Amino acid sequence: MAETHHTDMLIVGAGPAGYTAAIYAARAGMNPILVTGMQPGGQLTITDEIENFPGFAQPVQGPWLMEQMREQAEHVGTKLIYDLITEAPLKQGPDEGGYFHLKGDSGDQFRARTVVIATGAQAKWLGLDSEKKYQGAGVSACATCDGFFYRGKEVAVIGGGNTAVEEALYLTHHASTVHLIHRRDSLKAERILQKRLHDNPKIKVHWNRAVREIIGEGSPAVVTALELTDTQNSTNTERLAVDGVFVAIGHSPSTGPFRNEVLCDEEGYITTQPGTATTSIPGIFAAGDIQDKIYRQAVTAAGTGCMAALEAERYLAEKKYNS
């Protein structure tokens, strides 16, 4: 039987932003409900070691960190519901009682006086079976997360836009050589970034090349090489020895049913007022990678989750709702 849930705050998404918003909301007595979505824990569930989240002297496992956040959120009073929001007619505004109406894939109805959208963004992948096989064993989509593990080693960055060039430049602080693999003969990145890339002696660009296979060896198996193919002559292939591969062909915001309800940019990221988590609709907030295409870090996501909860608390106080 479908249920109807009422709450002062509905949080959609179970990553660092969503869990942090839940923790703050619960401690403020807002009785939050968190709908987990398809991937509870978000991108950190496929991150093996995290060294840059404050508070841990030793590296921690991504899934473990998300489990701790979940337990903390529940401990302080958050109700978790394993469902997926499929309908969110936010433009019509709240009803007479101040509730926005949303619906889950299960058929459950959600009535929320504030909503925090924390559905995140997903890295775009090449789609190779070997790419999936070696995720966490030499394949990554975040240089700032994992670059430290490749100090003095050779790595490859796949892509040709701003993200790829920025990742390549960042990796030069750790790796001995950075190979930029691009399927065309020119980059799409901004000119100033291209100049920095070409001026850096640690970076070698491989033009008109696509990744055909990611190769690994050892027990457990880790990345040892790439098999590249010539995009202008597919019969030409070559093997490039590398210790790590960073896929940097972009991200896709997981906007889902919110895409046409709140103001988004041309890429689908939710637009928030500068310095806030406030969206184009009063009472609706966005936190984490769904509204951040620059930093994309667990700690910044958590920070915006805190902002969203505090702003939602202020919104409810101004409305003088009685829970």
Side-chain angles (χ1 to χ4, degrees), residues 65-109:
L65 180 59
M66 298 318 301
E67 180 72 10
Q68 293 299 301
M69 289 190 187
R70 180 190 66 78
E71 290 184 9
Q72 185 179 5
E74 289 186 300
H75 175 73
V76 293
T78 302
K79 180 179 181 180
L80 259 68
I81 296 179
Y82 292 89
D83 202 349
L84 175 70
I85 297 298
T86 55
E87 296 179 23
L90 304 178
K91 281 183 179 178
Q92 68 185 30
D95 61 20
E96 291 182 355
Y99 291 99
F100 292 93
H101 293 206
L102 298 88
K103 184 178 180 181
D105 186 60
S106 65
D108 281 11
Q109 302 286 333

Side-chain angles (χ1 to χ4, degrees), residues 3-281:
E3 296 183 53
T4 298
H5 309 274
H6 289 78
T7 180
D8 279 343
M9 178 189 284
L10 179 70
I11 300 152
V12 187
Y19 283 136
T20 303
I23 291 164
Y24 274 80
R27 295 184 74 252
M30 297 166 68
N31 302 312
I33 292 175
L34 187 151
V35 177
T36 62
M38 294 291 289
Q39 187 182 13
Q43 294 188 69
L44 288 190
T45 59
I46 59 171
T47 303
D48 278 357
E49 289 192 341
I50 300 171
E51 286 193 323
N52 56 4
F53 198 87
F56 302 96
Q58 300 298 321
V60 296
Q61 300 292 307
W64 178 85
L65 180 59
M66 298 318 301
E67 180 72 10
Q68 293 299 301
M69 289 190 187
R70 180 190 66 78
E71 290 184 9
Q72 185 179 5
E74 289 186 300
H75 175 73
V76 293
T78 302
K79 180 179 181 180
L80 259 68
I81 296 179
Y82 292 89
D83 202 349
L84 175 70
I85 297 298
T86 55
E87 296 179 23
L90 304 178
K91 281 183 179 178
Q92 68 185 30
D95 61 20
E96 291 182 355
Y99 291 99
F100 292 93
H101 293 206
L102 298 88
K103 184 178 180 181
D105 186 60
S106 65
D108 281 11
Q109 302 286 333
F110 295 89
R111 304 289 182 259
R113 283 175 168 158
T114 64
V115 179
V116 175
I117 306 169
T119 46
Q122 298 294 321
K124 295 179 182 178
W125 298 97
L126 302 171
L128 301 172
D129 289 339
S130 55
E131 173 187 53
K132 188 173 183 179
K133 176 181 178 180
Y134 292 111
Q135 283 183 19
V139 173
S140 172
C142 181
T144 53
C145 305
D146 300 325
F148 177 81
F149 301 111
Y150 297 92
R151 297 181 73 177
K153 298 182 178 181
E154 292 199 29
V155 299
V157 175
I158 317 300
N162 282 352
T163 299
V165 174
E166 288 170 349
E167 298 263 281
L169 289 167
Y170 174 83
L171 286 165
T172 61
H173 299 300
H174 301 290
S176 60
T177 303
V178 179
H179 300 274
L180 183 70
I181 314 298
H182 187 41
R183 61 185 303 110
R184 297 183 177 84
D185 59 5
S186 62
L187 299 172
K188 295 181 293 181
E190 296 172 3
R191 289 188 177 276
I192 188 170
L193 291 175
Q194 292 190 43
K195 185 177 186 309
R196 291 173 185 167
L197 178 123
H198 293 307
D199 288 345
N200 196 308
K202 283 190 172 184
I203 300 176
K204 180 179 179 181
V205 182
H206 300 257
W207 302 109
N208 300 311
R209 295 292 184 271
V211 178
R212 184 174 181 176
E213 200 68 66
I214 299 173
I215 300 165
E217 295 177 0
S219 181
V222 295
V223 169
T224 56
L226 291 176
E227 184 178 336
L228 304 178
T229 184
D230 188 331
T231 57
Q232 297 182 325
N233 184 350
S234 59
T235 61
N236 293 336
T237 62
E238 61 185 280
R239 188 181 180 109
L240 178 67
V242 293
D243 301 293
V245 180
F246 292 84
V247 181
I249 56 177
H251 287 74
S252 296
S254 303
T255 321
F258 306 105
R259 178 66 177 88
N260 297 313
E261 296 296 326
V262 295
L263 183 64
C264 299
D265 67 14
E266 66 277 3
E267 297 176 69
Y269 289 89
I270 294 177
T271 301
T272 52
Q273 296 177 18
T276 77
T278 302
T279 71
S280 56
I281 298 178

